[in-house]
Each structure stands twice: as C-alpha cells, then as structure tokens.
Amino acid sequence: MKKIIALILIFTLFATAFCGCKKTPVDPEDPQIIENLNESSANTLKLAYSKADMLDPFTCTMSANIQILGLIYDGLYKLDKAYEPIPVIAKSSIVSGTTVNVTLNSVKFSDGTALTSNDVAYSFNKAKNAPYYAERLKNIASVSISSSNMLVFTLTSPDPYVLACLTFPIVKNGANGELPVGSGRYASKISGETVYLVVNSKKSGFNPAIKTITLVPVRDGSSVESSLEIGNTGFYYDDLSDGTFSRINAKTVEMGINNFVYLGFNSSSEIFSNPPIRRAVNLAINRKEIAVTAFQGHARETYSPFNPEWCKLASKDLVIAQDIPKATQLITESGIDITSKEVSVLVNKENPFKLETAQFICDYLAALGFKVILKDYAPNYYTEALELGSYDMYIGEIRLAPNMDLSALLGGAAGYGIDPLCPSVSRYSQLLGGSCELMDFINTFNEDLPFIPLCYRNAAASYTNAMQADYACCDGDVFYDIETWSFK
C-alpha cells in the first residue's frame, strides 16, 4: 500500500511541476506526510482561504489568508493579548534612540536549514512594502547585518515600543511566490490541488493535537462564514468592520482588536476650539453605554487614546466617570454661548454601530444645552465632508499599529480637524523621545483633548461545535492557542 501511495505522490509531483505551481510539494519519502495524508478527516482541521488572493505573506490582503499564514511563519516577536512583544526568532533586543540591536535565537526553517540574519533582512525589505505590514514598519528606515545572528534596525524617529512591530514573517532569503519556506508552527504542503499544513517537526516545544490542517478554497470573504455554517470548515474570523454581528450555529468568542473609535473635533470650530468645552463633552459621555448598547457589546470602553488591554497601562486607573454637573460648570466657566449656533455630528450612516454611537453623542450634547444636528452620510459623502471640514464633530475609527502609534492622528494623515500645534502633539513627541513618561502624556492629552476616546472594537472568532479549546485567540494571532485545540 505504501508503494502505491508513493507512486501516486511522485506522479503528483511531476504534474505540479508542469503546472508551474510554486507551493512546497509533498515529499513522497517522508513518512510523516504519508501518515498525515491517510489521517482520518475527523482529526483534521479545515480552514477556508481565498484562491483569488495569493498565499504569499508579502502580497496577500484577504483576512482569512493573512491569519493562516501566521501558522506557517514566525516573526522576530509575537504579541500576546496585552500587545506585549514575546521573543520568538529574536533572542534579545536593545532599543536605544533610533537604533534597535537584535540578536537571533538558533532557529531552523521547516526544511532543516538554519535561519540567519540574511533571511531576516530579506524578509524585512519585502515586508516594508507589503500591504499588511507597511504601516507598522513605516518608522523603521532600514536594516543592516552585523553577523550571522545579529542585525541593526535604524528608525526614522525614536520609538520605545518598536519591538511590537517586529512581527513581520521571516522567510528564506531569496524566496519568491506562494508559500515560501518558514519556521512557524506548521509547514505547507500540497497534494494534487489540495493545500494543507502539517506540524513543523523542526519547531521545538510545539505538540498540538491537530497535526494536519486542510485549506479549503472559497470564492471570497463572504463565503468563509457560510463554509463554517455548512460544516465545510472549522473556524471563521469576523472583524465586524461593517458594524453588524450575525449569529451562526457555532461557538463564538469575543476578541479584542486594535481598532480605535473616537469623537473627532474640528479645531477651527468657534465652539470646539475651546479646550474646556471639549473637556465638558468628555465628561458628558457614557462610554460603557456606547460599548454595550451602540456596539452591542462588541467593544471595550477606553479612557485614553490607547488600547485598554495594552500592557503599558496595567495597574493604571484611567476611568473618567460621566459627570453632567461638572460638564455644565466647565461650559459656564468657558464663557462660550453654546446655544449661539447649531453644531453637527458627522457619521457614516451605513455602519450601524457608529450610527447609534453618533445618536448617543447627540443626546449627551443636547443634555448639556447644545443645539445638535446629525449628519448621517453615505460613506463617500462622509469622507468628502471630512476632507472639506464640513463638520463640528465626527465619529472616526483608525486601526493602530501594535506599538500604539498615534502619529497618524496627532498631526498625521488621519487626524482630520486636529491642530498639529496642539499640546498633545508636542507631548507625544516627548514621550517617544524619552523625555516624559506615559502618564505625563495621558495627563496632557486629557487636558487638551484634541479628540475624545470612546472605545476599541472587538472581533468575533467562531469555531465548529465539534471543537474544544481554551479560546485564547488574540489580535496578533487568531490561532494563538492552537495547541489546545482538539475535536470532541
């Protein structure tokens, strides 16, 4: 029987070669592969992926594919739920000003070859221009190789939290095309037209119950949910970016992500250019009501611009309670007549979560005596109004990089209506440069309030009912705890 299987696999190799497939082929002499191919489908996890989007870590854009590639490739670091960078390929790092010195662990790729600084440098230069990694790597200008296991990254400007961005996938130097060799928990293989993953035998300390993962092609992202519903696959991730949540017949858990929702101000507004007025609005907002009701529980309230789960905020009490009397007092002390004109709240009306948030904001403002109008626009008109400054306030959202970089808001491209000369901008530069502490910046921000933090969104991870697991997935890796997954 083994000879027959081997002959079939050899034929598959020849067929694949003539088709020009770039995926890692099956080795017919590898007993582990033979065993996995014969393994009962009941013990195999099936994951949906999009055939329309390449399984290339540096070109793919589909969420399902990006999540899967996290099983095949490791970064210098990985992130836990608190966005704490945990060394993987990196052994240690020293961050000093605009220089990051990294020493590598002794690591092997899944094909048994040693991973060196050349591989890391090659992967960084690929990731620097990759759709998914470019934003988080924008402040890292270059990398140089010191030795086979040491590198130096040079930053454009200081960033004490930069290690959280060193999560880009490491592939072999010179690798191109789909599924290049990695050093992750699983190795990619193919059998005919089927792509599957097997446990990387070169990965020490990783011994999951699920030894084989079969990738099931789907037409597009909307097909991933239905593939779980009908039992074709065992897992589905939804970032809830459309503002809706659909219940499906599966075990679903909430997963915090780094998508920041805030109330923006037009700094040229006659009323909201006044900091005490902004502080009054801040005190009028019930963030818990927004997270629980407007976002239907799929968000976590935040009282600073940073993710409330961020490790750097541990043990810090940042809660700001709703206080209408104090807000009214601030308005009186400001000397501003808030009834002198109508003020507008701009929102994308096609996102139900944000639309209800805007309606709550209008209610909070009305309770303070503001005359408020809601500008609930379609997405294209919403964007146009932002660009033209046709608003007093708006409901905004931005996905922050893992280092919690606020530069896109504080004087950057996403900071609509924010005065680039406001105190928060200069204080943030001091924080990154090391001349002030994190709480110094947060205190300055709370006095200035160029925008008001509301909440951080959640995503939903759904598992087949036949699955049992710890369900400890996190923003950096939805398969973070896959070694605990098994079938009932």
Side-chain angles (χ1 to χ4, degrees):
M1 180 63 182
K2 291 184 178 180
K3 290 182 178 179
I4 293 173
I5 293 173
L7 287 172
I8 291 172
L9 293 175
I10 290 170
F11 175 79
T12 301
L13 278 174
F14 278 103
T16 301
F18 283 110
C19 290
C21 183
K22 296 179 181 178
K23 302 182 183 75
T24 307
V26 167
D27 180 358
E29 301 300 325
D30 188 340
Q32 179 192 4
I33 305 306
I34 300 297
E35 179 183 348
N36 283 318
L37 284 173
N38 290 326
E39 188 180 57
S40 168
S41 61
N43 297 317
T44 300
L45 174 64
K46 295 180 180 179
L47 298 177
Y49 81 103
S50 171
K51 289 191 72 173
D53 189 25
M54 290 182 67
L55 283 165
D56 179 336
F58 304 118
T59 63
C60 73
T61 57
M62 289 286 293
S63 174
N65 291 18
I66 291 169
Q67 304 297 347
I68 288 169
L69 292 171
L71 292 168
I72 307 171
Y73 306 101
D74 280 337
L76 292 170
Y77 288 84
K78 68 177 181 179
L79 303 175
D80 64 12
K81 279 191 170 185
Y83 298 88
E84 179 79 48
I86 300 170
V88 182
I89 292 175
K91 181 178 182 180
S92 62
S93 297
I94 299 174
V95 180
S96 177
T98 58
T99 300
V100 184
N101 289 277
V102 179
T103 302
L104 304 183
N105 271 314
S106 178
V107 175
K108 291 184 182 296
F109 285 111
S110 60
D111 66 358
T113 58
L115 189 156
T116 70
S117 296
N118 285 316
D119 302 302
V120 177
Y122 173 79
S123 300
F124 166 76
N125 289 318
K126 296 278 283 186
K128 182 78 172 161
N129 299 306
Y132 187 70
Y133 299 100
E135 180 64 23
R136 71 182 65 181
L137 297 176
K138 67 180 182 181
N139 189 44
I140 306 178
S142 61
V143 63
S144 59
I145 297 171
S146 300
S147 68
S148 63
N149 71 331
M150 296 185 69
L151 306 99
V152 179
F153 291 94
T154 301
L155 311 183
T156 302
S157 59
D159 178 6
Y161 314 118
V162 67
L163 296 185
C165 294
L166 299 182
T167 56
F168 57 90
I170 309 299
V171 306
K172 288 188 72 170
N173 183 20
N176 285 301
E178 293 193 85
L179 293 172
V181 174
S183 62
R185 292 162 287 179
Y186 289 82
S188 60
K189 303 292 178 182
I190 64 165
S191 175
E193 292 297 315
T194 303
V195 183
Y196 67 101
L197 312 179
V198 297
V199 173
N200 178 5
S201 61
K202 304 299 187 293
K203 183 78 169 176
S204 61
F206 181 64
N207 185 30
I210 294 175
K211 307 295 185 185
T212 305
I213 299 173
T214 301
L215 304 189
V216 179
V218 295
R219 292 189 308 277
D220 51 43
S222 62
S223 303
V224 180
E225 179 181 353
S226 60
S227 69
L228 175 60
E229 279 270 64
I230 64 178
N232 281 352
T233 57
F235 177 81
Y236 169 58
Y237 168 83
D238 183 1
D239 69 359
L240 306 181
S241 58
D242 63 356
T244 61
F245 172 71
S246 301
R247 296 192 179 277
I248 60 177
N249 182 25
K251 170 68 176 178
T252 300
V253 297
E254 292 283 314
M255 187 180 84
I257 58 177
N258 216 26
N259 286 58
F260 175 46
V261 180
Y262 61 95
L263 176 66
F265 293 107
N266 191 333
S267 61
S268 64
S269 165
E270 180 182 347
I271 292 178
F272 295 110
S273 60
N274 185 284
I277 294 293
R278 298 197 296 268
R279 292 199 292 273
V281 174
N282 190 40
L283 287 172
I285 292 173
N286 185 330
R287 289 168 174 82
K288 188 173 184 64
E289 187 173 43
I290 288 173
V292 172
T293 305
F295 280 82
Q296 300 175 17
H298 304 299
R300 297 143 291 142
E301 63 264 32
T302 187
Y303 301 90
S304 84
F306 304 113
N307 192 313
E309 295 178 341
W310 191 28
C311 55
K312 303 302 180 182
L313 297 181
S315 75
K316 291 180 171 57
D317 183 10
L318 303 175
V319 175
I320 299 172
Q322 186 182 38
D323 191 337
I324 298 299
K326 177 62 175 176
T328 302
Q329 180 183 342
L330 283 170
I331 292 172
T332 301
E333 292 174 355
S334 73
I336 302 289
D337 180 8
I338 63 172
T339 65
S340 63
K341 58 173 289 188
E342 286 185 327
V343 296
S344 61
V345 178
L346 175 68
V347 66
N348 169 11
K349 70 176 182 179
E350 293 186 10
N351 187 296
F353 292 166
K354 293 177 186 174
L355 179 58
E356 188 163 357
T357 296
Q359 291 166 342
F360 272 119
I361 295 296
C362 289
D363 291 342
Y364 301 145
L365 290 167
L368 292 178
F370 285 93
K371 296 178 180 179
V372 193
I373 57 172
L374 179 64
K375 291 186 174 181
D376 50 340
Y377 291 173
N380 55 332
Y381 292 112
Y382 166 84
T383 302
E384 182 179 358
L386 275 180
E387 293 172 347
L388 293 174
S390 180
Y391 62 89
D392 291 296
M393 292 162 282
Y394 69 95
I395 305 299
E397 177 179 343
I398 184 172
R399 179 167 174 80
L400 296 186
N403 61 340
M404 305 298 157
D405 180 21
L406 297 176
S407 60
L409 286 169
L410 296 176
Y416 292 107
I418 297 173
D419 181 0
L421 300 178
C422 70
S424 294
V425 172
S426 56
R427 198 62 158 165
Y428 186 62
S429 295
Q430 291 173 8
L431 171 66
L432 297 181
S435 59
C436 81
E437 298 297 323
L438 180 60
M439 283 308 301
D440 294 331
F441 165 73
I442 291 176
N443 290 335
T444 297
F445 177 89
N446 285 338
E447 286 295 308
D448 183 25
L449 286 174
F451 53 88
I452 292 179
L454 298 177
C455 61
Y456 271 77
R457 285 202 301 104
N458 290 348
S462 298
Y463 307 75
T464 173
N465 289 322
M467 180 74 68
Q468 55 186 14
D470 288 346
Y471 306 117
C473 54
C474 62
D475 193 16
D477 180 8
V478 299
F479 304 113
Y480 188 86
D481 65 334
I482 196 169
E483 66 272 15
T484 74
W485 297 19
S486 62
F487 292 98
K488 298 176 183 177

